Amino acid sequence: MSKRKIVVALGGNAILTNDSSAKAQQKALEHTAEYLVQFVENGDAIAVSHGNGPQVGNLLLQQEAAHSEKNPAMPLDTCVAMTQGSIGYWLQSAMAKALKAKGIDKEVASIVTQVVVSEEDPAFKSPSKPVGPFLSKEEAEKQMEETGAKFIEDAGRGWRKVVPSPKPIDIKEVKVIKTLIENDIIPITVGGGGVPVIKQNDDYIGVEAVIDKDFASETLAVSIEADLLVILTGVDNVMINYHTPDEKVLNEVTVDEMKKYVDEKQFAAGSMLPKVEAAIKFVEGNPKGKAIITSLENIEAAISESGGTIITR
């Protein structure tokens, strides 16, 4: 098989275990890196993206707890950049270690990536993504009155601030990413969906929003003209009729078949649905491209394009 250009999107389970300490997350990423290096051994050029939901949520809690006039909490776009930096640092260290163990001389670089969204995106009028700490109803009402932020009651656990989740339209650092790949360097990029920015004249302004990691990975894959988008999650295959007697594993599926399953509401919003939608969008935007949704542990099958859920035109 000739050298392919591949975007590998890591799910949260590739980074975070039940222990959210830095040491535990670094250990999890060392395990993840041992799988990712198999793409490099196969001769593929990879770009790696990752989520940051739990990490940015924990950081927001820490920011809120330490907030004072002299030490104000950082805004959400800055927190996304901070977690891009920390996870990128852990992952590039883990990848360097795994590459060295295999005798592969290759550099890895993390990029604090800004992802452009539209100011006109309807998500800005309908914030829906819960972030940050749980508050009482009284605390939430006070925050809403003082800041104009929107809060919702979240699953009986308290009230949480909700922010927009706009769709990505461009990646500001795409030339840098392409340059790294062309020079045989592995980029770690669009972490946590990227830092959300809007373009105003010739400037880029950070906004309080969270971009879905899978859609950002799809935008990255299209931007670098990848041959394959691999979305790693907690299961080997996508399923329909999940947790019913008619449960069915999906192996090779066309875009049209996947769209039918989406219309049937087969996939959970906020879980498998964005992965499926991102995969569909990538394959539609790249006639030669394929997308695979599978688990980290099933990565050998993804590399050989013989397992997982493979989505084609």
Side-chain angles (χ1 to χ4, degrees), residues 71-126:
N71 184 29
M74 292 293 106
L76 181 56
D77 57 320
T78 300
C79 288
V80 171
M82 290 163 76
T83 53
Q84 270 194 14
S86 58
I87 296 169
Y89 154 58
W90 295 334
L91 183 52
Q92 73 182 28
S93 297
M95 286 291 291
K97 183 177 177 180
L99 288 163
K100 186 178 179 182
K102 295 288 187 179
I104 300 170
D105 183 17
K106 191 183 284 284
E107 295 294 324
V108 186
S110 305
I111 305 163
V112 176
T113 315
Q114 299 171 87
V115 174
V116 184
V117 298
S118 170
E119 200 171 1
E120 305 302 317
D121 193 301
F124 284 109
K125 292 180 180 175
S126 303

Side-chain angles (χ1 to χ4, degrees), residues 33-44 102 296 299-300 303:
E34 290 171 3
Y35 284 99
L36 295 181
V37 165
Q38 293 178 50
F39 282 106
V40 183
E41 288 184 290
N42 192 56
D44 298 315
K102 295 288 187 179
L296 187 67
I299 216 161
E300 282 187 27
I303 290 169

Side-chain angles (χ1 to χ4, degrees), residues 20-90:
S20 59
S21 68
K23 188 175 181 180
Q25 292 183 74
Q26 285 171 294
K27 192 72 179 171
L29 282 168
E30 285 181 6
H31 176 68
T32 296
E34 290 171 3
Y35 284 99
L36 295 181
V37 165
Q38 293 178 50
F39 282 106
V40 183
E41 288 184 290
N42 192 56
D44 298 315
I46 62 170
V48 183
S49 63
H50 61 81
N52 73 339
Q55 293 83 3
V56 82
N58 289 344
L59 180 57
L60 286 165
L61 285 168
Q62 292 162 4
Q63 293 286 315
E64 187 70 26
H67 175 71
S68 68
E69 190 175 336
K70 289 187 177 180
N71 184 29
M74 292 293 106
L76 181 56
D77 57 320
T78 300
C79 288
V80 171
M82 290 163 76
T83 53
Q84 270 194 14
S86 58
I87 296 169
Y89 154 58
W90 295 334

Side-chain angles (χ1 to χ4, degrees), residues 208-256:
E208 286 263 317
V210 172
I211 301 168
D212 183 276
K213 173 264 302 176
D214 297 310
F215 286 118
S217 301
E218 175 272 324
T219 302
L220 171 67
V222 170
S223 299
I224 67 170
E225 299 174 327
D227 302 292
L228 185 63
L229 170 63
V230 178
I231 299 176
L232 298 177
T233 185
V235 292
D236 288 352
N237 291 75
V238 181
M239 301 177 196
I240 56 170
N241 305 320
Y242 191 51
H243 280 168
T244 74
D246 297 324
E247 184 176 279
K248 179 185 174 184
V249 169
L250 299 180
N251 293 307
E252 291 197 28
V253 198
T254 66
V255 163
D256 286 343

Side-chain angles (χ1 to χ4, degrees), residues 99-165:
L99 288 163
K100 186 178 179 182
K102 295 288 187 179
I104 300 170
D105 183 17
K106 191 183 284 284
E107 295 294 324
V108 186
S110 305
I111 305 163
V112 176
T113 315
Q114 299 171 87
V115 174
V116 184
V117 298
S118 170
E119 200 171 1
E120 305 302 317
D121 193 301
F124 284 109
K125 292 180 180 175
S126 303
S128 60
K129 182 77 173 175
V131 295
F134 289 93
L135 303 179
S136 68
K137 185 178 180 182
E138 292 72 26
E139 288 170 325
E141 287 174 344
K142 184 181 178 186
Q143 288 272 334
M144 284 191 276
E145 189 177 327
E146 290 177 353
T147 67
K150 182 180 175 182
F151 283 73
I152 63 166
E153 197 277 327
D154 186 3
R157 295 175 293 174
W159 289 67
R160 294 177 78 193
K161 180 179 178 179
V162 285
V163 297
S165 186

